[in-house]
Amino acid sequence: MKTYSMKEVSQKIKVPPGTIKRWEKELDGLLDIPRSKQGARLFTETEIQLLIEMKEMHGKKVNKEVIRKSFGNKLHQEPDSNTSKQETSLQILSEQISPVPPDETTIKNVDNFLSVLDRYKQNFFHEMKEEIRSVVRTEVLAEVKKEIKNGALTTVKTLSDSIYKSNANTKSEFEGLSNKVEQTVEHTANSLKFLSKSISKVSLETTKEISNLSRQIAETSEELAQYVDVTNSEIYNLTEALSKDHEYFIEEREQYRHEIRQREVAFQNMLSGFRDAAVSKGKKWWKFWY
């Protein structure tokens, strides 16, 4: 029996794959599409015909419950019709087989027929198995619903007892937690008192140390101020002394320059006197002094 993939069926009946999957969920328990080893859906002509009918019903705006009920009735009737169809097909196939001489062609045809018959038998058993599984599933679900409905009161009582026990356990746990919190708070209060005393003691000691340090800084500042005053006085005296020395050196330098100029003038006068004397006496040595 030929099978089709989801894509091929979607193109054939012109319905999106998502819609086909949704219809399969709506007919859960009634429309059981076979799967491959990889989990892909494999559609036969039977499933395709059902999908076409479902498409027509949806096109007519038929209610989902009505569609499900209609398909349920139809699928329950199909095993008998399928059986009759298969018997008719087998009868036709058997009538078409006529005695022929046992040659190679006949043997090959017989092998092909047996192979086709075997595949047909497997497909038939598979369809019957799926139909039986669907019917059994529906019956099991109905029985489970009845059991749940009958045992609802017992279930509620059990749940109530569980909730009561849970509340009791929660209350005891809450009381234990409350006691632990009180103990923790008391321990924390004692720790805070001890810490406060320690901080007060350390603060007093720190205050004393700061006071001593301030006094030392004040004394050091006074000593430093005195040292600065003395240093400034010494610098002032040194500056005055340097200024006086500078003035003295300037005066002394001016005196030296004056004396040098006077000596130079005297020397020039002396040379002029010698030259004049030499000229008056007719001497020629005076020319070397020019």
Side-chain angles (χ1 to χ4, degrees), residues 20-66:
I20 296 175
K21 293 178 182 179
R22 180 166 55 82
W23 290 352
E24 183 182 1
K25 290 181 180 179
E26 291 177 0
L27 295 177
D28 186 24
L30 298 177
L31 179 60
D32 192 3
I33 299 174
R35 304 289 182 105
S36 64
K37 293 181 180 180
Q38 291 77 19
R41 292 173 175 80
L42 298 176
F43 296 85
T44 62
E45 293 293 341
T46 303
E47 285 81 21
I48 293 174
Q49 186 61 35
L50 291 174
L51 291 174
I52 292 172
E53 293 178 5
M54 193 166 187
K55 178 183 177 182
E56 293 175 354
M57 289 184 179
H58 277 285
K60 295 177 182 179
K61 307 297 182 182
V62 180
N63 191 6
K64 293 180 181 180
E65 296 297 330
V66 176

Side-chain angles (χ1 to χ4, degrees), residues 185-231:
V185 170
E186 185 178 358
H187 179 70
T188 304
N190 295 330
S191 300
L192 289 175
K193 288 180 181 179
F194 176 76
L195 183 61
S196 178
K197 291 180 181 179
S198 300
I199 291 173
S200 299
K201 185 177 179 180
V202 172
S203 177
L204 182 61
E205 294 176 355
T206 305
T207 303
K208 291 180 180 179
E209 291 180 358
I210 291 173
S211 178
N212 294 330
L213 184 61
S214 299
R215 186 172 60 255
Q216 292 176 2
I217 291 173
E219 293 175 356
T220 305
S221 298
E222 291 178 358
E223 293 177 358
L224 184 61
Q226 293 177 0
Y227 178 75
V228 169
D229 292 338
V230 172
T231 304

Side-chain angles (χ1 to χ4, degrees), residues 13 127 169 187 261 287:
I13 66 175
E127 292 177 0
N169 294 331
H187 179 70
R261 283 196 296 270
K287 293 181 179 180

Side-chain angles (χ1 to χ4, degrees), residues 37-287:
K37 293 181 180 180
Q38 291 77 19
R41 292 173 175 80
L42 298 176
F43 296 85
T44 62
E45 293 293 341
T46 303
E47 285 81 21
I48 293 174
Q49 186 61 35
L50 291 174
L51 291 174
I52 292 172
E53 293 178 5
M54 193 166 187
K55 178 183 177 182
E56 293 175 354
M57 289 184 179
H58 277 285
K60 295 177 182 179
K61 307 297 182 182
V62 180
N63 191 6
K64 293 180 181 180
E65 296 297 330
V66 176
I67 294 174
R68 184 177 179 83
K69 186 175 180 180
S70 175
F71 272 84
N73 295 332
K74 184 173 182 179
L75 290 174
H76 284 306
Q77 294 174 0
E78 279 187 356
D80 296 334
S81 61
N82 288 335
T83 304
S84 61
K85 289 180 181 179
Q86 289 162 1
E87 290 177 354
T88 305
S89 300
L90 289 173
Q91 185 177 0
I92 293 171
L93 288 172
S94 61
E95 290 176 354
Q96 290 178 352
I97 300 173
S98 58
V100 293
D103 55 2
E104 294 181 0
T105 304
T106 304
I107 294 172
K108 187 175 181 180
N109 291 333
V110 171
D111 291 337
N112 291 334
F113 171 74
L114 292 176
S115 177
V116 171
L117 185 62
D118 185 59
R119 287 198 301 271
Y120 185 81
K121 181 180 67 175
Q122 291 178 0
N123 291 330
F124 172 72
F125 286 154
H126 177 73
E127 292 177 0
M128 291 298 296
K129 188 187 297 182
E130 294 298 329
E131 291 296 333
I132 293 171
R133 184 184 300 171
S134 176
V135 173
V136 171
R137 184 185 301 172
T138 304
E139 293 177 355
V140 169
L141 288 175
E143 291 295 329
V144 170
K145 289 180 180 179
K146 289 180 182 179
E147 290 294 331
I148 292 174
K149 188 174 181 180
N150 294 332
L153 182 60
T154 305
T155 304
V156 170
K157 288 182 179 179
T158 305
L159 184 60
S160 178
D161 294 338
S162 300
I163 292 172
Y164 178 77
K165 292 179 181 179
S166 177
N167 289 334
N169 294 331
T170 304
K171 185 177 180 180
S172 61
E173 290 177 359
F174 181 76
E175 290 177 354
L177 182 62
S178 178
N179 294 330
K180 289 182 180 179
V181 170
E182 290 179 358
Q183 293 176 0
T184 304
V185 170
E186 185 178 358
H187 179 70
T188 304
N190 295 330
S191 300
L192 289 175
K193 288 180 181 179
F194 176 76
L195 183 61
S196 178
K197 291 180 181 179
S198 300
I199 291 173
S200 299
K201 185 177 179 180
V202 172
S203 177
L204 182 61
E205 294 176 355
T206 305
T207 303
K208 291 180 180 179
E209 291 180 358
I210 291 173
S211 178
N212 294 330
L213 184 61
S214 299
R215 186 172 60 255
Q216 292 176 2
I217 291 173
E219 293 175 356
T220 305
S221 298
E222 291 178 358
E223 293 177 358
L224 184 61
Q226 293 177 0
Y227 178 75
V228 169
D229 292 338
V230 172
T231 304
N232 289 334
S233 177
E234 291 178 354
I235 291 173
Y236 178 75
N237 294 331
L238 181 60
T239 303
E240 290 291 331
L242 290 174
S243 179
K244 290 179 181 180
D245 291 340
H246 181 67
E247 292 177 356
Y248 174 75
F249 288 144
I250 290 174
E251 291 178 358
E252 189 174 2
R253 186 185 64 182
E254 292 296 331
Q255 290 178 1
Y256 286 153
R257 286 180 178 178
H258 182 67
E259 290 178 358
I260 289 171
R261 283 196 296 270
Q262 288 180 351
R263 290 179 182 180
E264 186 177 359
V265 171
F267 182 73
Q268 291 293 335
N269 292 331
M270 184 181 67
L271 287 178
S272 297
F274 279 120
R275 189 170 55 249
D276 293 339
V279 170
S280 62
K281 292 180 179 182
K283 303 291 184 179
K284 296 182 179 180
W285 55 267
W286 57 270
K287 293 181 179 180

